[in-house]
Amino acid sequence: MNRLKFHVKKGDEVQVISGNHRGASGKVLQVLPRKQQVLIEGVRLIKKTQRKSQDNPNGAIITREGPIHISNVKLLVSQSRRRVGGSKR
């Protein structure tokens, strides 16, 4: 199985560089590799209706983050301090 590798990982601090949410920044909550999208904390909030259940007997309207294409974000701060080039000196 092919494994896709992206420039951002879960927990990284990113900034949106294009689209309707340009300039917004936040932490990556989830990476969706098959769709090449990411969920960013506090960016592109959408409202979803929820059916009646035991938890919500009248139903509810919840707000959650929507996906943004991975090419529209740039890495600001990485969670894991990975080396980028350079020698071991």
Side-chain angles (χ1 to χ4, degrees):
M1 187 165 122
N2 289 342
R3 193 164 181 183
L4 299 172
K5 187 166 181 161
F6 298 114
H7 63 285
V8 294
K9 289 199 269 186
K10 180 179 176 181
D12 289 349
E13 189 77 24
V14 296
Q15 181 179 16
V16 180
I17 57 173
S18 66
N20 291 339
H21 304 283
R22 181 182 351 179
S25 61
K27 189 171 85 171
V28 175
L29 299 175
Q30 186 179 7
V31 178
L32 308 169
R34 288 196 175 179
K35 294 182 176 182
Q36 297 184 355
Q37 294 178 333
V38 290
L39 295 178
I40 304 172
E41 186 177 39
V43 179
R44 192 171 178 237
L45 294 174
I46 57 175
K47 293 187 182 255
K48 300 266 303 178
T49 56
Q50 199 169 26
R51 288 188 149 192
K52 295 179 182 179
S53 64
Q54 285 185 336
D55 296 336
N56 298 311
N58 294 327
I61 299 174
I62 57 172
T63 57
R64 54 186 284 202
E65 288 83 5
I68 295 177
H69 198 270
I70 203 159
S71 67
N72 293 339
V73 299
K74 104 177 156 179
L75 182 65
L76 291 179
V77 179
S78 176
Q79 180 192 18
S80 61
R81 295 186 175 231
R82 47 189 164 179
R83 289 175 46 94
V84 181
S87 63
K88 284 190 160 184
R89 289 190 223 182

Coordinates of all heavy atoms in Angstrom, one line a residue:
M1 N 0.8 -1.2 0.0 CA 0.0 0.0 0.0 C 0.9 1.2 0.0 O 1.9 1.3 0.7 CB -0.9 0.0 1.2 CG -1.9 1.0 1.3 SD -3.1 0.7 2.5 CE -3.0 2.1 3.5
N2 N 0.5 2.2 -0.8 CA 1.3 3.5 -0.9 C 1.0 4.3 0.3 O -0.2 4.5 0.7 CB 1.0 4.2 -2.2 CG 1.6 3.5 -3.4 OD1 2.4 2.7 -3.3 ND2 1.0 3.9 -4.5
R3 N 2.0 4.9 0.9 CA 1.8 5.8 2.0 C 2.1 7.2 1.6 O 3.2 7.5 1.1 CB 2.8 5.4 3.1 CG 2.4 6.0 4.4 CD 3.1 5.2 5.5 NE 2.7 5.9 6.7 CZ 3.2 5.5 7.9 NH1 4.0 4.5 8.0 NH2 2.8 6.2 9.0
L4 N 1.2 8.1 1.8 CA 1.4 9.5 1.4 C 2.1 10.3 2.4 O 1.8 10.1 3.6 CB 0.0 10.2 1.1 CG -0.8 9.5 0.0 CD1 -2.2 10.1 -0.1 CD2 -0.1 9.7 -1.4
K5 N 3.0 11.1 2.1 CA 3.8 11.9 3.0 C 3.5 13.4 2.7 O 3.6 13.9 1.6 CB 5.3 11.6 2.9 CG 6.1 12.3 3.9 CD 7.5 11.7 3.9 CE 8.2 12.4 5.0 NZ 9.4 11.7 5.4
F6 N 3.2 14.1 3.8 CA 2.8 15.5 3.7 C 3.7 16.4 4.5 O 4.5 15.9 5.3 CB 1.4 15.8 4.1 CG 0.4 15.0 3.3 CD1 -0.4 14.0 3.9 CD2 0.2 15.3 2.0 CE1 -1.3 13.3 3.1 CE2 -0.8 14.6 1.2 CZ -1.5 13.6 1.8
H7 N 3.7 17.7 4.3 CA 4.6 18.6 4.9 C 4.1 19.0 6.3 O 4.7 19.7 7.1 CB 4.8 19.9 4.1 CG 3.6 20.7 3.8 ND1 2.6 20.3 2.9 CD2 3.1 21.9 4.4 CE1 1.6 21.2 2.9 NE2 1.9 22.1 3.8
V8 N 2.8 18.6 6.7 CA 2.3 18.9 8.0 C 1.8 17.6 8.7 O 1.5 16.6 8.0 CB 1.1 19.9 8.0 CG1 1.6 21.3 7.5 CG2 0.0 19.4 7.1
K9 N 1.9 17.6 10.0 CA 1.4 16.5 10.8 C 0.4 17.0 11.8 O 0.3 18.2 12.1 CB 2.6 15.8 11.5 CG 3.5 15.1 10.6 CD 4.3 14.0 11.3 CE 5.6 14.6 11.8 NZ 6.5 13.7 12.4
K10 N -0.2 16.0 12.5 CA -1.1 16.4 13.6 C -0.4 17.0 14.7 O 0.7 16.6 15.1 CB -1.8 15.1 14.1 CG -2.7 15.3 15.2 CD -3.3 14.0 15.6 CE -4.2 14.1 16.8 NZ -4.8 12.8 17.2
G11 N -0.9 18.2 15.2 CA -0.2 18.9 16.3 C 0.6 20.1 15.8 O 1.0 20.9 16.6
D12 N 0.9 20.1 14.5 CA 1.7 21.2 14.0 C 0.9 22.5 14.0 O -0.3 22.5 13.8 CB 2.2 21.0 12.5 CG 3.3 19.9 12.5 OD1 3.8 19.5 13.5 OD2 3.5 19.4 11.3
E13 N 1.6 23.7 14.1 CA 1.0 25.0 14.0 C 1.1 25.4 12.5 O 2.2 25.5 12.0 CB 1.8 26.0 14.9 CG 1.1 27.3 15.1 CD -0.1 27.3 16.0 OE1 -0.2 26.4 16.8 OE2 -1.0 28.1 15.8
V14 N 0.0 25.7 11.9 CA 0.0 26.1 10.5 C -0.8 27.4 10.2 O -1.5 27.9 11.1 CB -0.7 25.0 9.6 CG1 0.2 23.7 9.6 CG2 -2.1 24.7 10.0
Q15 N -0.6 28.0 9.1 CA -1.3 29.2 8.7 C -1.9 28.9 7.3 O -1.2 28.3 6.4 CB -0.3 30.4 8.6 CG -1.0 31.7 8.2 CD 0.0 32.8 8.1 OE1 1.2 32.6 8.1 NE2 -0.5 34.0 8.1
V16 N -3.1 29.4 7.1 CA -3.8 29.3 5.8 C -3.2 30.4 4.9 O -3.2 31.5 5.2 CB -5.3 29.4 5.9 CG1 -6.0 29.2 4.6 CG2 -5.8 28.4 6.9
I17 N -2.8 29.9 3.7 CA -2.1 30.9 2.8 C -3.0 31.3 1.6 O -2.7 32.2 0.9 CB -0.8 30.4 2.3 CG1 -0.9 29.1 1.6 CG2 0.2 30.3 3.4 CD1 0.4 28.6 0.9
S18 N -4.1 30.6 1.3 CA -5.0 31.0 0.2 C -6.4 30.5 0.5 O -6.6 29.6 1.3 CB -4.5 30.4 -1.1 OG -4.6 29.0 -1.1
G19 N -7.4 31.1 -0.2 CA -8.8 30.7 0.0 C -9.5 31.7 0.9 O -9.0 32.8 1.2
N20 N -10.7 31.4 1.3 CA -11.5 32.3 2.1 C -11.0 32.6 3.5 O -11.3 33.6 4.1 CB -13.0 31.8 2.2 CG -13.7 31.8 0.9 OD1 -13.3 32.5 0.0 ND2 -14.7 30.9 0.7
H21 N -10.2 31.6 4.0 CA -9.7 31.8 5.4 C -8.3 32.1 5.4 O -7.6 31.8 6.4 CB -10.0 30.4 6.1 CG -11.4 30.0 6.1 ND1 -12.4 30.6 6.9 CD2 -12.1 29.1 5.3 CE1 -13.5 30.0 6.6 NE2 -13.4 29.2 5.6
R22 N -7.8 32.8 4.4 CA -6.4 33.2 4.3 C -6.0 34.1 5.5 O -6.7 35.0 5.9 CB -6.2 34.1 3.0 CG -4.8 34.5 2.8 CD -4.5 35.4 1.6 NE -5.7 35.4 0.8 CZ -5.8 36.1 -0.3 NH1 -4.8 36.8 -0.7 NH2 -7.0 36.1 -1.0
G23 N -4.8 33.8 6.1 CA -4.3 34.5 7.2 C -4.6 33.9 8.5 O -4.0 34.2 9.5
A24 N -5.6 33.0 8.6 CA -5.9 32.3 9.8 C -4.9 31.3 10.2 O -4.3 30.7 9.3 CB -7.3 31.7 9.7
S25 N -4.7 31.1 11.5 CA -3.7 30.1 11.9 C -4.3 29.3 13.0 O -5.2 29.7 13.7 CB -2.4 30.7 12.2 OG -2.6 31.6 13.3
G26 N -3.7 28.1 13.2 CA -4.2 27.2 14.3 C -3.4 25.9 14.3 O -2.5 25.7 13.4
K27 N -3.8 25.0 15.2 CA -3.1 23.7 15.3 C -3.9 22.7 14.5 O -5.1 22.7 14.4 CB -3.2 23.3 16.8 CG -2.3 22.1 17.1 CD -2.2 21.9 18.6 CE -3.5 21.1 19.1 NZ -3.4 20.7 20.4
V28 N -3.1 21.8 13.8 CA -3.7 20.7 13.0 C -4.3 19.7 13.9 O -3.6 19.1 14.8 CB -2.6 20.1 12.1 CG1 -3.2 18.9 11.3 CG2 -2.1 21.1 11.1
L29 N -5.6 19.5 13.8 CA -6.3 18.5 14.6 C -6.3 17.1 14.0 O -6.2 16.1 14.7 CB -7.8 18.9 14.8 CG -8.0 20.2 15.5 CD1 -9.5 20.5 15.5 CD2 -7.5 20.1 16.9
Q30 N -6.3 17.1 12.6 CA -6.4 15.8 11.9 C -5.9 16.0 10.5 O -6.2 17.0 9.9 CB -7.8 15.2 12.0 CG -8.0 13.9 11.4 CD -9.4 13.4 11.5 OE1 -10.3 14.2 11.9 NE2 -9.7 12.2 11.2
V31 N -5.2 15.0 10.0 CA -4.8 15.0 8.6 C -5.6 13.9 7.9 O -5.7 12.7 8.3 CB -3.3 14.7 8.4 CG1 -2.9 14.7 6.9 CG2 -2.5 15.8 9.1
L32 N -6.3 14.2 6.8 CA -7.1 13.3 6.0 C -6.3 12.9 4.7 O -6.4 13.6 3.7 CB -8.4 13.8 5.6 CG -9.2 14.4 6.8 CD1 -10.4 15.2 6.4 CD2 -9.7 13.3 7.7
P33 N -5.4 11.9 4.7 CA -4.5 11.7 3.6 C -5.2 11.3 2.3 O -4.8 11.7 1.2 CB -3.6 10.5 4.1 CG -4.3 9.9 5.2 CD -5.2 10.9 5.8
R34 N -6.3 10.6 2.3 CA -6.9 10.2 1.1 C -7.5 11.3 0.3 O -7.5 11.4 -0.9 CB -8.0 9.1 1.3 CG -7.4 7.8 1.7 CD -8.4 6.7 1.6 NE -7.8 5.4 1.8 CZ -8.4 4.3 1.8 NH1 -9.7 4.3 1.6 NH2 -7.8 3.2 2.0
K35 N -8.1 12.3 1.1 CA -8.7 13.5 0.5 C -7.6 14.6 0.4 O -8.0 15.7 -0.2 CB -9.8 14.0 1.3 CG -11.0 13.0 1.3 CD -12.2 13.6 2.1 CE -13.4 12.8 2.0 NZ -14.5 13.4 2.8
Q36 N -6.5 14.5 0.9 CA -5.4 15.5 1.0 C -5.9 16.8 1.6 O -5.8 17.9 1.1 CB -4.9 15.8 -0.4 CG -4.2 14.6 -1.1 CD -3.6 14.9 -2.4 OE1 -3.7 16.0 -2.9 NE2 -2.9 13.9 -2.9
Q37 N -6.5 16.6 2.8 CA -7.1 17.7 3.5 C -6.7 17.7 5.0 O -6.3 16.6 5.5 CB -8.6 17.7 3.4 CG -9.1 17.9 2.0 CD -10.7 17.9 1.9 OE1 -11.3 17.2 2.7 NE2 -11.2 18.6 0.9
V38 N -6.8 18.8 5.6 CA -6.5 18.9 7.1 C -7.6 19.6 7.8 O -8.3 20.4 7.2 CB -5.2 19.6 7.3 CG1 -4.0 18.8 6.9 CG2 -5.2 21.0 6.7
L39 N -7.8 19.3 9.1 CA -8.7 20.0 10.0 C -7.8 20.9 10.9 O -6.9 20.4 11.5 CB -9.5 19.0 10.8 CG -10.5 18.1 10.1 CD1 -11.2 17.2 11.0 CD2 -11.5 18.9 9.3
I40 N -8.1 22.2 10.9 CA -7.4 23.1 11.7 C -8.2 23.7 12.8 O -9.4 24.1 12.5 CB -6.8 24.3 10.8 CG1 -6.0 23.7 9.7 CG2 -6.0 25.2 11.6 CD1 -5.5 24.7 8.6
E41 N -7.7 23.8 14.0 CA -8.5 24.2 15.1 C -8.9 25.7 15.0 O -8.1 26.6 14.8 CB -7.6 24.1 16.4 CG -8.3 24.4 17.7 CD -7.3 24.2 18.8 OE1 -6.1 24.5 18.7 OE2 -7.8 23.7 19.9
G42 N -10.2 25.9 15.0 CA -10.8 27.3 14.9 C -10.8 27.9 13.6 O -11.2 29.1 13.4
V43 N -10.5 27.1 12.5 CA -10.6 27.7 11.1 C -11.7 26.9 10.4 O -11.8 25.7 10.5 CB -9.2 27.5 10.4 CG1 -9.3 28.0 9.0 CG2 -8.1 28.2 11.2
R44 N -12.4 27.6 9.6 CA -13.5 27.1 8.7 C -14.5 26.3 9.6 O -14.8 25.2 9.4 CB -13.0 26.2 7.6 CG -14.1 25.9 6.6 CD -13.7 25.2 5.4 NE -14.9 25.0 4.6 CZ -15.3 23.8 4.2 NH1 -14.6 22.7 4.4 NH2 -16.4 23.6 3.5
L45 N -15.1 27.1 10.5 CA -16.1 26.5 11.4 C -17.4 26.3 10.6 O -17.9 27.3 10.0 CB -16.3 27.3 12.7 CG -15.1 27.4 13.6 CD1 -15.4 28.4 14.7 CD2 -14.8 26.0 14.2
I46 N -18.0 25.2 10.7 CA -19.3 24.9 10.0 C -20.3 24.4 11.0 O -19.9 23.9 12.0 CB -19.1 23.9 8.8 CG1 -18.6 22.6 9.3 CG2 -18.3 24.4 7.7 CD1 -18.5 21.5 8.3
K47 N -21.6 24.6 10.7 CA -22.6 24.2 11.6 C -23.3 22.9 11.0 O -23.6 22.9 9.9 CB -23.7 25.3 11.8 CG -23.2 26.5 12.5 CD -24.3 27.5 12.8 CE -23.7 28.7 13.5 NZ -24.0 28.7 14.9
K48 N -23.4 21.9 11.9 CA -24.1 20.7 11.5 C -25.2 20.4 12.4 O -25.2 20.7 13.6 CB -23.1 19.5 11.7 CG -21.8 19.6 10.9 CD -21.8 18.9 9.6 CE -22.1 17.4 9.7 NZ -22.2 16.8 8.4
T49 N -26.4 20.0 11.8 CA -27.5 19.6 12.6 C -27.3 18.2 13.1 O -26.8 17.3 12.4 CB -28.8 19.8 11.9 OG1 -28.7 19.0 10.7 CG2 -29.0 21.2 11.5
Q50 N -27.8 17.9 14.3 CA -27.7 16.6 14.9 C -29.1 16.1 15.2 O -29.9 16.8 15.7 CB -26.8 16.7 16.2 CG -26.3 15.4 16.6 CD -25.2 15.5 17.7 OE1 -25.3 16.5 18.4 NE2 -24.3 14.6 17.8
R51 N -29.3 14.8 14.9 CA -30.6 14.2 15.1 C -30.9 14.0 16.6 O -30.0 14.1 17.5 CB -30.6 12.8 14.5 CG -30.7 12.8 13.0 CD -30.9 11.4 12.5 NE -31.6 11.5 11.3 CZ -32.2 10.5 10.7 NH1 -32.1 9.3 11.2 NH2 -32.8 10.7 9.6
K52 N -32.1 13.8 16.9 CA -32.5 13.5 18.3 C -31.9 12.2 18.8 O -31.8 11.3 18.0 CB -34.1 13.4 18.4 CG -34.8 14.6 18.0 CD -36.3 14.4 18.1 CE -37.0 15.7 17.7 NZ -38.5 15.5 17.8
S53 N -31.4 12.3 20.0 CA -30.8 11.1 20.6 C -31.0 11.2 22.1 O -31.6 12.1 22.6 CB -29.3 11.0 20.3 OG -28.6 12.1 20.8
Q54 N -30.5 10.2 22.8 CA -30.6 10.3 24.3 C -29.8 11.4 24.9 O -30.2 12.1 25.8 CB -30.1 9.0 24.9 CG -31.1 7.8 24.8 CD -30.6 6.6 25.5 OE1 -29.4 6.4 25.7 NE2 -31.6 5.7 25.8
D55 N -28.6 11.7 24.2 CA -27.8 12.8 24.7 C -28.5 14.2 24.4 O -28.4 15.1 25.2 CB -26.4 12.8 24.0 CG -25.6 11.6 24.4 OD1 -25.9 11.0 25.5 OD2 -24.7 11.2 23.7
N56 N -29.1 14.3 23.2 CA -29.8 15.5 22.8 C -31.2 15.2 22.4 O -31.5 14.9 21.3 CB -29.1 16.1 21.6 CG -27.7 16.6 21.9 OD1 -27.4 17.2 22.9 ND2 -26.7 16.2 21.0
P57 N -32.1 15.2 23.4 CA -33.5 14.8 23.1 C -34.2 15.7 22.1 O -35.2 15.2 21.4 CB -34.2 14.8 24.5 CG -33.3 15.4 25.4 CD -31.9 15.5 24.8
N58 N -33.8 16.9 22.0 CA -34.4 17.8 21.0 C -33.6 18.0 19.8 O -33.9 18.9 18.9 CB -34.7 19.2 21.7 CG -35.7 19.1 22.8 OD1 -36.6 18.3 22.7 ND2 -35.5 19.9 23.8
G59 N -32.5 17.3 19.6 CA -31.6 17.6 18.5 C -30.7 18.7 18.9 O -30.9 19.4 19.9
A60 N -29.8 19.1 18.0 CA -28.9 20.2 18.3 C -28.2 20.7 17.0 O -28.2 20.0 16.0 CB -27.8 19.7 19.3
I61 N -27.7 21.9 17.1 CA -26.8 22.4 16.0 C -25.5 22.6 16.6 O -25.3 23.3 17.5 CB -27.4 23.8 15.5 CG1 -28.8 23.6 15.0 CG2 -26.4 24.3 14.5 CD1 -29.4 24.9 14.6
I62 N -24.5 21.8 16.1 CA -23.1 21.8 16.6 C -22.2 22.5 15.6 O -22.4 22.5 14.4 CB -22.6 20.4 16.9 CG1 -22.7 19.5 15.7 CG2 -23.4 19.8 18.1 CD1 -22.0 18.2 15.9
T63 N -21.2 23.2 16.1 CA -20.2 23.8 15.3 C -18.9 22.9 15.3 O -18.5 22.5 16.4 CB -19.9 25.2 15.7 OG1 -19.4 25.2 17.0 CG2 -21.1 26.1 15.5
R64 N -18.3 22.7 14.2 CA -17.1 21.9 14.1 C -16.3 22.4 12.9 O -16.7 23.2 12.1 CB -17.4 20.4 14.0 CG -18.3 20.1 12.8 CD -18.7 18.7 12.8 NE -17.6 17.9 12.3 CZ -17.7 16.7 11.8 NH1 -18.9 16.1 11.7 NH2 -16.7 16.0 11.4
E65 N -15.0 22.0 12.9 CA -14.1 22.4 11.9 C -14.3 21.7 10.6 O -14.6 20.5 10.6 CB -12.6 22.2 12.3 CG -12.2 23.2 13.4 CD -12.5 22.7 14.8 OE1 -13.1 21.6 15.0 OE2 -12.3 23.5 15.7
G66 N -14.2 22.4 9.5 CA -14.4 21.8 8.2 C -13.0 21.6 7.6 O -12.0 22.3 8.0
P67 N -12.8 20.7 6.6 CA -11.5 20.4 6.0 C -11.1 21.5 5.1 O -11.9 22.2 4.4 CB -11.7 19.1 5.3 CG -13.2 19.1 5.0 CD -13.9 19.8 6.1
I68 N -9.7 21.7 5.0 CA -9.1 22.6 4.1 C -8.0 21.8 3.3 O -7.4 21.0 3.9 CB -8.4 23.8 4.8 CG1 -9.5 24.6 5.5 CG2 -7.6 24.6 3.9 CD1 -8.9 25.7 6.4
H69 N -7.9 22.1 2.0 CA -6.9 21.3 1.2 C -5.5 21.6 1.8 O -5.2 22.7 2.1 CB -7.0 21.7 -0.2 CG -6.3 20.7 -1.1 ND1 -5.0 20.8 -1.5 CD2 -6.8 19.6 -1.7 CE1 -4.7 19.7 -2.3 NE2 -5.8 19.0 -2.4
I70 N -4.7 20.6 1.8 CA -3.4 20.6 2.4 C -2.4 21.6 1.7 O -1.5 22.1 2.2 CB -2.8 19.2 2.5 CG1 -1.7 19.2 3.6 CG2 -2.2 18.7 1.2 CD1 -1.4 17.8 4.1
S71 N -2.7 21.9 0.4 CA -1.8 22.8 -0.4 C -2.1 24.2 0.0 O -1.3 25.1 -0.4 CB -2.0 22.6 -1.9 OG -3.4 23.0 -2.2
N72 N -3.2 24.5 0.7 CA -3.5 25.9 1.1 C -3.0 26.2 2.5 O -3.3 27.3 3.0 CB -5.0 26.1 1.1 CG -5.6 26.0 -0.3 OD1 -4.9 26.1 -1.3 ND2 -6.9 25.7 -0.4
V73 N -2.2 25.4 3.1 CA -1.6 25.7 4.4 C -0.1 25.7 4.4 O 0.5 24.9 3.6 CB -2.1 24.7 5.5 CG1 -3.6 24.8 5.7 CG2 -1.7 23.3 5.3
K74 N 0.5 26.5 5.3 CA 2.0 26.4 5.4 C 2.3 26.2 6.8 O 1.7 26.7 7.7 CB 2.6 27.7 4.8 CG 3.0 28.8 5.8 CD 3.6 29.9 5.1 CE 3.5 31.1 6.1 NZ 4.1 32.3 5.6
L75 N 3.4 25.5 7.0 CA 3.9 25.1 8.3 C 4.5 26.3 9.0 O 5.4 27.0 8.5 CB 4.9 24.0 8.2 CG 5.5 23.4 9.5 CD1 4.4 22.7 10.3 CD2 6.6 22.4 9.2
L76 N 4.1 26.6 10.3 CA 4.7 27.7 11.1 C 5.6 27.1 12.1 O 6.8 27.4 12.1 CB 3.6 28.5 11.8 CG 2.8 29.4 10.9 CD1 1.7 30.1 11.7 CD2 3.6 30.4 10.1
V77 N 5.1 26.2 13.0 CA 5.9 25.6 14.0 C 5.5 24.1 14.0 O 4.4 23.7 14.1 CB 5.5 26.2 15.4 CG1 6.3 25.5 16.5 CG2 5.8 27.7 15.4
S78 N 6.6 23.3 14.0 CA 6.4 21.8 14.0 C 6.3 21.3 15.4 O 7.0 21.8 16.3 CB 7.5 21.1 13.2 OG 7.4 19.8 13.3
Q79 N 5.5 20.4 15.7 CA 5.4 19.8 17.0 C 6.6 19.0 17.3 O 7.2 19.2 18.4 CB 4.1 18.9 17.1 CG 4.0 18.3 18.5 CD 3.0 17.1 18.5 OE1 2.6 16.6 17.4 NE2 2.6 16.8 19.7
S80 N 7.1 18.1 16.4 CA 8.3 17.4 16.6 C 9.4 18.2 16.0 O 9.3 18.6 14.9 CB 8.2 16.0 16.0 OG 8.0 16.2 14.6
R81 N 10.5 18.4 16.7 CA 11.6 19.2 16.2 C 12.4 18.4 15.3 O 13.4 17.8 15.7 CB 12.4 19.7 17.4 CG 11.7 20.7 18.2 CD 12.6 21.3 19.2 NE 11.8 22.3 20.0 CZ 12.2 23.5 20.1 NH1 13.4 23.9 19.7 NH2 11.5 24.4 20.8
R82 N 12.0 18.3 14.0 CA 12.7 17.4 13.1 C 13.8 18.3 12.4 O 13.7 19.4 12.2 CB 11.7 16.9 12.1 CG 10.8 17.8 11.5 CD 9.7 17.2 10.7 NE 8.6 18.2 10.5 CZ 7.6 17.9 9.8 NH1 7.4 16.8 9.2 NH2 6.6 18.9 9.7
R83 N 14.9 17.6 12.1 CA 16.0 18.2 11.4 C 15.7 18.5 10.0 O 15.1 17.6 9.3 CB 17.2 17.4 11.5 CG 17.8 17.3 12.9 CD 18.9 16.3 13.0 NE 19.9 16.4 11.9 CZ 21.0 17.2 12.0 NH1 21.2 17.8 13.1 NH2 21.8 17.2 11.0
V84 N 16.1 19.6 9.5 CA 15.9 20.0 8.1 C 17.3 20.3 7.5 O 17.8 21.4 7.7 CB 14.9 21.2 7.9 CG1 14.8 21.5 6.4 CG2 13.6 20.9 8.6
G85 N 17.9 19.3 6.9 CA 19.2 19.5 6.3 C 20.3 19.8 7.3 O 20.1 19.6 8.5
G86 N 21.5 20.1 6.8 CA 22.6 20.4 7.8 C 23.4 19.2 8.1 O 23.0 18.1 7.9
S87 N 24.5 19.4 8.7 CA 25.4 18.3 9.2 C 25.2 18.1 10.7 O 24.5 18.8 11.4 CB 26.8 18.7 8.9 OG 27.2 19.8 9.6
K88 N 25.9 17.0 11.1 CA 25.7 16.6 12.5 C 26.6 17.4 13.5 O 26.7 17.0 14.7 CB 25.9 15.1 12.7 CG 24.8 14.3 12.2 CD 25.0 12.9 12.6 CE 23.7 12.1 12.6 NZ 23.9 10.8 13.1
R89 N 27.4 18.3 13.1 CA 28.4 19.0 13.9 C 27.7 19.7 15.0 O 26.8 20.3 15.1 CB 29.2 19.9 13.1 CG 30.2 19.1 12.3 CD 31.2 20.1 11.7 NE 31.4 19.8 10.3 CZ 32.2 20.4 9.5 NH1 32.9 21.4 10.0 NH2 32.4 20.1 8.3

